[in-house]
């Protein structure tokens, strides 16, 4: 037998990830970092990470709790679970109870263990966030993609859900509805939510309302679908987006009493895997969910900046020939460069993967291909996260401008320059 060159396994490894590679969001982040280490200028519109700092009051609370060293209950710190319930009640008026809240190390992990304990088909929209599908694939669940269309602003219609469910009405199903939505920033009106809730109730769908961007609705007007289907809706949230604390890894699920058995089953898995969520982070999170003036003001400014930037970038991309939804929340745009397909094809670009790899190679702008969000490979869509700016500096500057005034182009070129430059680069590049 010849000597191994170190890359061939000496032992036959049966790896159980069903041919998946690392998540697209994390890969683009690592690629961007590597290119920067190698001295390249990179515009980081890949990973969807809040540009804003964790609010000072929440950071202070973390400092006050560095001594917290004990393992906490599997379901989470009781005070935190209480403060979350109070928070949901204040913002949505829905009456979930603290004993039915579960804290986890990121809502992503909670979603995974939900899918692990719930035996049913997964209904997800195309497009939707990169990890819902792969989680189901790892576990071995059937995925039923629900198509949505740019002409409907990528909103799912009750008819589309109905069409799938009526073929086998009693099949157990879990549907994930995320809004304001990743990857396009769109949301739903109350009437639309009511109609979706109605069909979900008719087919007894377990609805996972991924409301992680709820507080980043650009006008502060997020409405939870749990208002219309409380008996079947699990609210999913966390600190990552509205509190700028993705790396703190704190997520939550709030269950209605009728789904408490799911939470208990998830607690079994949690207790045998991650045990409990980081103690100092949970204590600090109590402060975040208690809210108050400082946090409201912080959010007001975050929203105003994101709204101005999202709208301006949308207009510019449209002028360059792309089609896209004007975002209502979060920090994502999902342009379709289909109208420029002819010119792009002439340059050898026929898929969203090629679009994104050529874009980063030729301009330094990192974005993610539509295919990572469940779109057909040859559709020329891409997700842009408009987060590449110094959020602390932008917040300070916004605080100097009366809240009644919208932020103008000068503000954006001064405080969100990388995003504006990246937009110009994309617009010029696609029209070359
Ligand atoms: N949700 C973020 C995104 O879509 C990043 C977090 C993650 O994917 O784990 O870019």
């Amino acid at each position: 037998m010849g000597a191994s060159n170190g890359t061939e396994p000496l032992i036959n490894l049966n790896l159980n990830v069903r041919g998946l590679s690392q998540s697209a969001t994390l890969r683009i982040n690592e690629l961007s970092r590597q290119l920067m280490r190698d001295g390249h200028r990179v515009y980081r519109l890949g990973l969807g990470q809040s540009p804003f700092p964790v609010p000072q009051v929440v950071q202070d609370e973390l400092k006050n709790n560095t001594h917290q060293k004990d393992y906490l209950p599997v379901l989470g710190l009781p005070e935190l679970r209480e403060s979350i319930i109070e928070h949901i009640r204040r913002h949505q008026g829905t009456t979930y109870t603290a004993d039915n809240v579960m804290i986890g190390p990121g809502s992503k992990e909670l979603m995974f263990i939900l899918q692990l304990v719930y035996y049913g088909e997964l209904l997800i929209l195309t497009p939707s966030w990169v990890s819902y599908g792969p989680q189901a694939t790892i576990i071995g669940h059937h995925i039923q993609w629900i198509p949505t269309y740019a002409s409907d602003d990528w909103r799912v219609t009750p008819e589309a859900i109905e069409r799938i469910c009526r073929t086998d009405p009693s099949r157990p199903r879990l549907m994930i509805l995320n809004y304001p939505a990743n990857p396009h920033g769109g949301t739903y009106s109350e009437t639309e939510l009511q109609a979706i809730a109605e069909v979900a109730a008719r087919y007894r769908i377990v609805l996972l309302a991924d409301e992680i961007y709820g507080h980043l609705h650009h006008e502060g007007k997020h409405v939870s679908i749990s208002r219309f289907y409380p008996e079947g809706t699990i609210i999913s949230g966390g600190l990552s987006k509205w509190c700028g604390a993705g790396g703190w890894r704190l997520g939550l699920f709030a269950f209605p009493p009728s789904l408490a058995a799911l939470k208990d089953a998830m607690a079994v898995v949690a207790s045998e895997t991650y045990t409990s969520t980081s103690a100092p982070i949970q204590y600090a999170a109590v402060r975040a969910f208690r809210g108050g003036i400082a946090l409201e003001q912080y959010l007001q400014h975050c929203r105003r900046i994101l709204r101005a930037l999202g709208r301006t970038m949308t207009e510019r991309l449209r002028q360059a020939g792309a089609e896209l939804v004007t975002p209502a929340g979060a920090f994502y745009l999902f342009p379709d460069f289909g109208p420029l397909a002819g010119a792009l094809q002439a340059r050898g670009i026929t898929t969203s993967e090629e679009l994104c790899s050529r874009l980063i190679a030729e301009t330094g702008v990192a974005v993610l291909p539509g295919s990572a969000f469940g779109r057909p490979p040859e559709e020329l869509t891409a997700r842009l996260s408009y987060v590449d700016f110094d959020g602390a500096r932008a917040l300070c500057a916004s605080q100097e401008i009366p809240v009644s005034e919208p932020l103008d182009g000068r503000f954006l070129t001064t405080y969100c320059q990388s995003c504006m430059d990246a937009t110009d680069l994309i617009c010029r590049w696609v029209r070359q």
Side-chain angles (χ1 to χ4, degrees):
M1 236 187 350
S4 161
N5 65 8
T7 56
E8 297 152 19
L10 290 171
I11 302 169
N12 188 17
L13 300 173
N14 285 315
L15 303 175
N16 189 20
V17 290
R18 300 177 199 260
L20 294 168
S21 13
Q22 273 193 33
S23 176
T25 50
L26 303 170
R27 270 189 289 139
I28 190 72
N29 198 34
E30 280 165 33
L31 172 67
S32 304
R33 279 198 179 134
Q34 186 55 50
L35 288 169
M36 286 162 83
R37 271 199 298 273
D38 295 346
H40 298 282
R41 170 72 170 99
V42 178
Y43 298 84
R44 298 177 68 178
L45 274 54
L47 180 72
Q49 163 163 285
S50 166
F52 302 109
V54 176
Q56 195 56 48
V57 286
V58 183
Q59 288 192 42
D60 292 343
E61 200 60 19
L62 182 62
K63 285 182 200 146
N64 296 339
N65 281 285
T66 50
H67 64 283
Q68 302 289 356
K69 54 173 267 303
D70 291 345
Y71 294 115
L72 292 181
V74 178
L75 287 172
L77 181 69
E79 291 133 82
L80 175 58
R81 297 166 74 207
E82 286 288 352
S83 71
I84 286 167
I85 285 305
E86 190 45 35
H87 181 92
I88 294 176
R89 200 196 49 71
R90 239 181 5 255
H91 290 276
Q92 298 298 335
T94 34
T95 49
Y96 285 57
T97 55
D99 53 335
N100 283 327
V101 170
M102 179 168 184
I103 309 298
S107 55
K108 192 175 185 174
E109 181 64 22
L110 293 175
M111 286 170 191
F112 183 74
I113 59 176
L114 171 65
Q115 292 208 52
L116 195 70
V117 302
Y118 180 71
Y119 188 82
E121 171 176 79
L122 177 69
L123 303 188
I124 40 176
L125 312 190
T126 154
S128 60
W129 180 49
V130 299
S131 290
Y132 302 135
Q135 289 194 346
T137 302
I138 292 170
I139 292 165
H141 282 323
H142 181 249
I143 303 170
Q144 179 70 59
W145 291 94
I146 313 180
T148 68
Y149 302 94
S151 52
D152 292 336
D153 285 354
W154 305 114
R155 282 189 279 251
V156 69
T157 59
E159 294 76 27
I161 307 170
E162 171 84 46
R163 261 195 299 278
I164 288 165
C165 294
R166 73 167 167 237
T167 56
D168 184 356
S170 56
R171 187 167 186 169
R173 293 183 171 94
L174 168 69
M175 174 169 151
I176 306 183
L177 189 69
N178 163 234
Y179 66 96
N182 184 357
H184 50 77
T187 192
Y188 294 87
S189 68
E190 268 192 52
T191 320
E192 288 160 345
L193 292 173
Q194 266 164 352
I196 295 169
E198 214 173 276
V199 65
R202 194 168 337 124
Y203 291 100
R204 296 167 189 270
I205 297 174
V206 176
L207 189 61
L208 182 67
D210 181 355
E211 302 187 19
I212 193 93
Y213 300 100
H215 284 310
L216 293 184
H217 183 292
H218 294 168
E219 288 169 36
K221 291 186 179 154
H222 175 71
V223 173
S224 173
I225 194 165
S226 62
R227 293 192 198 179
F228 312 116
Y229 182 36
E231 69 280 17
T233 303
I234 304 170
I235 302 173
S236 172
L239 288 186
S240 300
K241 311 300 181 186
W242 72 272
C243 216
W248 286 23
R249 310 308 301 131
L250 184 127
L252 69 96
F253 272 11
F255 299 79
S258 47
L259 297 179
L262 269 179
K263 171 210 66 184
D264 297 338
M266 286 174 63
V268 173
V269 179
S271 75
E272 300 290 12
T273 52
Y274 61 77
T275 302
S276 57
T277 304
S278 160
I281 299 292
Q282 291 201 56
Y283 281 96
V286 176
R287 179 66 194 84
F289 286 103
R290 282 208 180 124
I293 288 283
L295 285 156
E296 272 313 314
Q297 281 173 351
Y298 163 91
L299 276 173
Q300 213 169 35
H301 290 286
C302 294
R303 288 174 187 142
R304 178 165 69 160
I305 296 165
L306 293 174
R307 179 183 153 92
L309 184 57
R311 286 181 171 241
T312 302
M313 286 173 67
T314 300
E315 277 159 27
R316 294 202 178 173
L317 288 160
R318 271 193 198 133
Q319 276 159 15
E323 283 173 357
L324 70 163
V325 171
T326 304
F331 33 62
Y332 302 116
L333 301 178
F334 197 60
D336 181 355
F337 296 100
L340 304 166
L344 290 166
Q345 250 162 28
R347 288 154 63 189
I349 298 168
T350 56
T351 64
S352 61
E353 275 282 352
E354 285 162 2
L355 179 86
C356 297
S357 54
R358 290 275 297 275
L359 181 67
I360 191 167
E362 294 172 25
T363 65
V365 179
V367 301
L368 282 173
S371 56
F373 299 85
R375 299 305 299 165
E378 56 294 337
E379 180 185 274
L380 296 175
T381 44
R383 187 192 77 174
L384 281 57
S385 309
Y386 45 99
V387 297
D388 189 0
F389 61 92
D390 179 344
R393 184 167 163 262
L395 271 183
C396 278
S398 174
Q399 278 152 7
E400 298 303 315
I401 302 170
V403 281
S404 53
E405 283 177 30
L407 301 173
D408 60 13
R410 218 163 59 106
F411 180 95
L412 299 176
T413 41
T414 311
Y415 298 103
C416 308
Q417 200 194 343
S418 277
C419 284
M420 298 295 277
D421 289 350
T423 313
D424 289 343
L425 281 167
I426 297 171
C427 292
R428 266 185 268 133
W429 182 82
V430 290
R431 297 186 68 93
Q432 250 170 38

